[in-house]
Amino acid sequence: DQQVKQNSPSLSVQEGRISILNCDYTNSMFDYFLWYKKYPAEGPTFLISISSIKDKNEDGRFTVFLNKSAKHLSLHIVPSQPGDSAVYFCAAPSNAGGTSYGKLTFGQGTILTVHP
Amino acid sequence: NAGVMQNPRHLVRRRGQEARLRCSPMKGHSHVYWYRQLPEEGLKFMVYLQKENIIDESGMPKERFSAEFPKEGPSILRIQQVVRGDSAAYFCASSLTSGEGTEAFFGQGTRLTVV
């Protein structure tokens, strides 16, 4: 049961344009969402998060939008840069039973390629 | 402040051997998580530990896999009698807290290859 889904395996964008990465979830109990960025042969690094009480969170070139009714979130990167090329994972704490918000359910990831 | 340290970075084992993966959390972090990433897939939660305690092992295979986080020393993920299907990247993460807003910091991973 894939509770967090990223249906686009890859995305290719021109430098300077906007990158939009999408994520859907099925578990209505999720109340916090995170985006991680991962380069090859490295671990994921935290990028940005959003609580379910908000519908938008912005940090520099990165903005995450949350649509709770649609169970959908998106990450916008503008302007996109070649150094943004990486795999992006959407994640949500699956802390049912009150274990920890560090216990995460990840999507499959989207490979972003930004062309110069 | 060093990040999460995992070793070895690469590990090759023959079928039937044991694999031991080590994880030293960030300084001051007492919450440790292990994740596995199979080829072409996202990371899958395996186990959550605090010092000397397994809190949540709902993602651990029932056989051959075990984890510990002793009072002193790193957390260890142990895989006995490895099979080819165990080949994957294993990531450890640690966090300072466990409540909302917790940020889990990941290590660089151990890539296990079973031949």
Side-chain angles (χ1 to χ4, degrees), chain A residues 37-77:
Chain A
K37 175 180 178 179
K38 184 180 179 304
Y39 293 116
E42 293 187 12
T45 55
F46 170 76
L47 196 56
I48 193 169
S49 62
I50 187 165
S51 167
S52 61
I53 62 173
K54 296 184 175 182
D55 54 20
K56 176 184 174 181
N57 189 27
E58 190 172 351
D59 184 1
R61 296 186 297 114
F62 303 90
T63 303
V64 55
F65 295 91
L66 175 61
N67 182 334
K68 288 191 292 291
S69 60
K71 294 192 176 69
H72 176 84
L73 61 157
S74 60
L75 174 68
H76 292 212
I77 307 173

Side-chain angles (χ1 to χ4, degrees), chain A residues 12-107:
Chain A
S12 183
V13 170
Q14 203 69 28
E15 181 179 6
R17 300 284 184 118
I18 185 171
S19 296
I20 300 176
L21 298 105
N22 294 304
C23 177
D24 298 294
Y25 62 96
T26 57
N27 190 338
S28 57
M29 297 296 291
F30 287 155
D31 58 3
Y32 193 75
F33 302 90
L34 308 94
W35 284 93
Y36 279 82
K37 175 180 178 179
K38 184 180 179 304
Y39 293 116
E42 293 187 12
T45 55
F46 170 76
L47 196 56
I48 193 169
S49 62
I50 187 165
S51 167
S52 61
I53 62 173
K54 296 184 175 182
D55 54 20
K56 176 184 174 181
N57 189 27
E58 190 172 351
D59 184 1
R61 296 186 297 114
F62 303 90
T63 303
V64 55
F65 295 91
L66 175 61
N67 182 334
K68 288 191 292 291
S69 60
K71 294 192 176 69
H72 176 84
L73 61 157
S74 60
L75 174 68
H76 292 212
I77 307 173
V78 56
S80 301
Q81 300 172 354
D84 295 330
S85 297
V87 181
Y88 288 79
F89 291 99
C90 170
S94 47
N95 61 324
T99 56
S100 168
Y101 274 79
K103 176 187 174 185
L104 299 169
T105 296
F106 282 85

Side-chain angles (χ1 to χ4, degrees), chain B residues 14-15 17 24 34-35 40 58 63 65 74-75 87 97:
Chain B
R14 295 189 184 279
R15 280 179 295 169
Q17 291 185 320
S24 296
W34 285 92
Y35 290 83
E40 310 301 325
S58 57
E63 297 177 351
F65 285 72
S75 175
S87 295
T97 61

Side-chain angles (χ1 to χ4, degrees), chain B residues 78-99:
Chain B
R78 183 183 177 206
I79 311 172
Q80 295 178 292
Q81 300 173 338
V82 296
V83 302
R84 289 232 170 96
D86 296 333
S87 295
Y90 291 82
F91 292 97
C92 171
S94 72
S95 67
L96 184 63
T97 61
S98 62

